[in-house]
Amino acid sequence: MTPERVTPAVPSYASGSSEQPLLGDTIGDNLDRTAAVFGDRDAMVEVSTGRRWSYREFVADVDALALGLLDTGLTKGDRVGIWAPNRSEWTLVQYATAKLGLILVNINPAYRTHELEYVLNQAGVRLLVAATAFKTSDYAGMITEVRPRCQELEQVVLLDSPEWDALATGSASGDRARLAEARASLSPDDPINIQYTSGTTGFPKGATLSHHNILNNGYFVGETCGYTEQDRICIPVPFYHCFGMVMGNLAATSHGSAMIIPAPGFDPELTLAAVAEELCTSLYGVPTMFIAELAVSDFESYDLSSLRTGIMAGSPCPVEVMKQVINRMGMTEVGICYGMTETSPVSTQTRADDSLERRVATVGRVLPHLESKIIDPDTGLTVPRGVPGELCTRGYSVMLGYWEEPEKTAEAIDAARWMHTGDLGVMDDEGYINITGRIKDMVIRGGENIYPREIEEFLYTHPDVLDAQVIGVPDVKYGEELCAWIRMRPGAEPLTAEALRAFADGRLARYKIPRYVRIVEEFPMTVTGKVRKVEMRARSVELLGLTAAEQTRHA
């Protein structure tokens, strides 16, 4: 008898093909190419101040600032810190440093002295550009406090000061040959940016990114959104993070689109107003931003008819929120992006012609010139399609490494240059990926593996739940129990644990129903819109009196 042939399972691997080649430019050269074609079109609009720049004016101000930076004695490879909310000056510094090969160090606007001092020293920042203050943050005061302990920090320039004016305009008529000479030594593979990952434990790590990394990622994100010179991108997400400076700024300038800055910090009303006033065609945000915008009391009074697309990313995107963004905001081509700082950041993205189900239930498929695979975290082997495992990505977008931390780099990027994300995902037969949780977020209750994302999606189906986050908390009997933090819709009665159990009974396995429920006004968040689940867990342990349970040892 002829033995029956068994067809091998299709592996969870996908690569992004494209007829569009990767860009070989530096960021400065790419900006100049754009300005040469679209010089009279809007490049940047700062809604809060009414200031606006055409591409020709934007390049002129970038070059003037670059010449000013040259006058300080900085040379290629030196680090320049930027510590400020979303302002036009932030973007000017981004492009001016890129034109000189200076490495821009993005400093989280939410940092305090301990974190600021660490980043300034770890990156070896020589010049720091900073806002004087913003909201409750006294940047100038904190800089004064830490500066004596930052030996490599030679100069601090505060925005809205004579020193900034001199830096930005003092060399406007300077020797442009010096600028050309500095740019002639640059390579697209040079490091150009250090972004500190918002770690929840220990000190953050500095993901080091090149021109090639972030310019191409911004470009292909923009290509996937269908950007042209006609597009106007509203960017309420922080420039400090890749979402703002790469998916926002670089996606815009590589296509001749306009960067619209609605406000220094996120404000739902000001964001909606900017979209209406500036006729924005695209709007960005993390899920909590879109939730806040949709909850604005006079939401219907804003004319959002110019919107066609946008991006929701930064953390898992609730299905119900995505549906409202499409139906109520008119963003019919809105997409989901998935990625991480270490991958510049986007690895997968939904497409405008994807079905509604694809766009609300997956993070899309791999972008052009990148590879994705799902592996068994224990063996490292690629799993078959439909089987969950750890998502890995490889290609031009993978960072150069963590700044001066080769051991931590080796922990994240393997010998074959695959970036291990730490995220759990499933790849379907068409290559679409669904993120099911974090490896470290997984809750193990009495031997059952529970992924909080699944429970959160269920909670969004409750008519009174505005937002929900689920964490594991210690339990003597089961090892861990589920605790749900819930934000209620305005006017709704607070949801009790008993009411939640009644709602979930028969619809959710009993072991997946949260034992504890906390009703809150807001979640502890990073500046990039990611929920600090480690902090939520610590607070829950204290508030629920679970310290003894936490100290109980389990096999």
Side-chain angles (χ1 to χ4, degrees):
M1 291 180 60
T2 303
E4 184 178 345
R5 298 186 65 179
V6 177
T7 302
V10 177
S12 294
Y13 169 86
S15 61
S17 60
S18 176
E19 295 180 359
Q20 189 69 29
L22 288 166
L23 301 178
D25 289 337
T26 62
I27 290 170
D29 286 344
N30 184 262
L31 174 63
D32 286 354
R33 292 181 201 280
T34 298
V37 178
F38 303 115
D40 293 329
R41 298 195 67 86
D42 281 347
M44 180 167 64
V45 178
E46 188 172 44
V47 179
S48 59
T49 64
R51 302 172 67 197
R52 58 182 65 230
W53 288 256
S54 68
Y55 266 98
R56 186 173 292 106
E57 293 165 338
F58 182 71
V59 168
D61 280 0
V62 165
D63 287 353
L65 177 57
L67 287 165
L69 289 167
L70 277 178
D71 286 344
T72 68
L74 294 170
T75 59
K76 177 183 174 181
D78 285 338
R79 274 76 69 199
V80 175
I82 178 74
W83 195 28
N86 282 21
R87 296 177 48 154
S88 56
E89 293 89 349
W90 206 109
T91 306
L92 292 171
V93 171
Q94 175 186 347
Y95 286 86
T97 51
K99 283 203 168 188
L100 299 176
L102 302 173
I103 301 175
L104 183 68
V105 180
N106 301 6
I107 302 177
N108 187 327
Y111 276 178
R112 293 298 185 261
T113 53
H114 181 63
E115 300 144 316
L116 173 66
E117 180 181 342
Y118 174 79
V119 166
L120 291 174
N121 283 322
Q122 205 275 331
V125 172
R126 287 187 62 190
L127 183 147
L128 174 62
V129 177
T132 302
F134 181 65
K135 294 185 176 178
T136 61
S137 295
D138 177 8
Y139 295 134
M142 286 187 276
I143 293 167
T144 299
E145 180 180 338
V146 306
R147 191 170 183 179
R149 301 189 294 274
C150 301
Q151 299 304 312
E152 293 185 63
L153 182 59
E154 299 170 1
Q155 188 175 356
V156 174
V157 178
L158 298 177
L159 300 178
D160 304 315
S161 71
E163 290 77 17
W164 167 256
D165 292 340
L167 184 69
T169 64
S171 293
S173 59
D175 183 1
R176 299 184 63 83
R178 295 174 59 214
L179 182 56
E181 181 181 350
R183 291 175 60 183
S185 67
L186 305 186
S187 163
D189 296 318
D190 291 334
I192 199 63
N193 186 216
I194 298 175
Q195 299 200 28
Y196 282 86
T197 58
S198 49
T200 51
T201 58
F203 284 110
K205 302 182 292 289
T208 307
L209 306 169
S210 67
H211 294 268
H212 194 67
N213 287 149
I214 59 178
L215 174 59
N216 275 291
N217 203 255
Y219 176 69
F220 280 102
V221 166
E223 285 288 285
T224 308
C225 288
Y227 288 156
T228 71
E229 72 278 8
Q230 302 293 329
D231 281 290
R232 302 173 68 78
I233 308 168
C234 185
I235 312 173
V237 293
F239 290 151
Y240 142 79
H241 188 257
C242 275
F243 202 168
M245 69 165 288
V246 178
M247 299 157 69
N249 294 346
L250 286 169
T253 60
S254 60
H255 290 86
S257 308
M259 301 170 281
I260 310 298
I261 309 171
F266 174 66
D267 180 286
E269 288 88 356
L270 293 178
T271 300
L272 295 175
V275 170
E277 293 167 13
E278 291 296 330
L279 301 178
C280 293
T281 60
S282 177
L283 173 61
Y284 288 2
V286 298
T288 51
M289 289 181 175
F290 283 105
I291 289 169
E293 289 156 9
L294 290 162
V296 169
S297 58
D298 60 343
F299 173 84
E300 305 299 338
S301 69
Y302 295 93
D303 182 0
L304 308 181
S305 59
S306 59
L307 285 174
R308 69 166 181 86
T309 190
I311 294 173
M312 192 190 301
S315 59
C317 307
V319 172
E320 292 304 315
V321 175
M322 185 65 165
K323 288 179 179 177
Q324 286 194 56
V325 167
I326 293 171
N327 296 327
R328 295 182 63 202
M329 302 182 85
M331 295 167 59
T332 56
E333 298 178 22
V334 66
I336 296 286
C337 284
Y338 163 83
M340 58 196 304
T341 304
E342 290 89 336
T343 55
S344 303
V346 179
S347 300
T348 69
Q349 186 173 350
T350 59
R351 273 59 169 180
D353 58 356
D354 282 338
S355 68
L356 178 62
E357 177 62 23
R358 293 286 196 201
R359 286 190 286 146
V360 299
T362 78
V363 293
R365 48 196 170 90
V366 66
L367 279 182
H369 304 290
L370 295 177
E371 300 170 272
S372 290
K373 68 176 180 177
I374 308 289
I375 66 167
D376 182 321
D378 295 324
T379 67
L381 298 176
T382 304
V383 300
R385 298 277 176 110
V387 176
E390 182 184 13
L391 174 58
C392 299
T393 189
R394 180 168 69 178
Y396 74 82
S397 68
V398 175
M399 66 175 178
L400 300 179
Y402 293 119
W403 183 258
E404 296 189 343
E405 294 192 272
E407 291 183 1
K408 290 184 178 178
T409 301
E411 291 172 5
I413 304 173
D414 66 25
R417 289 292 295 172
W418 284 100
M419 179 74 207
H420 291 247
T421 68
D423 285 324
L424 293 166
V426 178
M427 183 182 293
D428 71 13
D429 290 339
E430 303 299 323
Y432 287 83
I433 294 173
N434 177 252
I435 301 298
T436 57
R438 290 282 296 173
I439 290 177
K440 294 182 180 179
D441 283 349
M442 184 176 68
V443 177
I444 305 177
R445 181 190 182 276
E448 296 279 3
N449 292 349
I450 305 172
Y451 299 105
R453 173 74 187 278
E454 177 188 357
I455 316 304
E456 290 161 0
E457 291 288 0
F458 172 76
L459 293 175
Y460 282 115
T461 67
H462 192 291
D464 292 334
V465 171
L466 180 65
D467 203 356
Q469 296 291 329
V470 174
I471 57 172
V473 294
D475 183 76
V476 173
K477 182 178 181 181
Y478 294 105
E480 285 186 290
E481 275 283 10
L482 295 177
C483 175
W485 285 42
I486 294 174
R487 294 175 57 214
M488 307 299 297
R489 295 191 181 280
E493 288 293 323
L495 192 64
T496 64
E498 292 76 15
L500 177 58
R501 276 195 289 273
F503 176 75
D505 188 36
R507 304 175 65 195
L508 203 61
R510 289 185 180 275
Y511 71 88
K512 295 181 181 180
I513 300 175
R515 178 177 178 182
Y516 305 103
V517 173
R518 292 201 63 226
I519 304 301
V520 297
E521 293 294 324
E522 60 185 8
F523 305 131
M525 309 285 285
T526 69
V527 71
T528 59
K530 294 182 180 179
V531 176
R532 291 185 179 273
K533 287 198 170 182
V534 170
E535 184 177 335
M536 288 170 59
R537 186 183 189 278
R539 288 194 205 174
S540 298
V541 167
E542 180 181 353
L543 292 168
L544 297 172
L546 300 176
T547 303
E550 187 173 38
Q551 295 170 351
T552 302
R553 297 187 64 182
H554 296 271

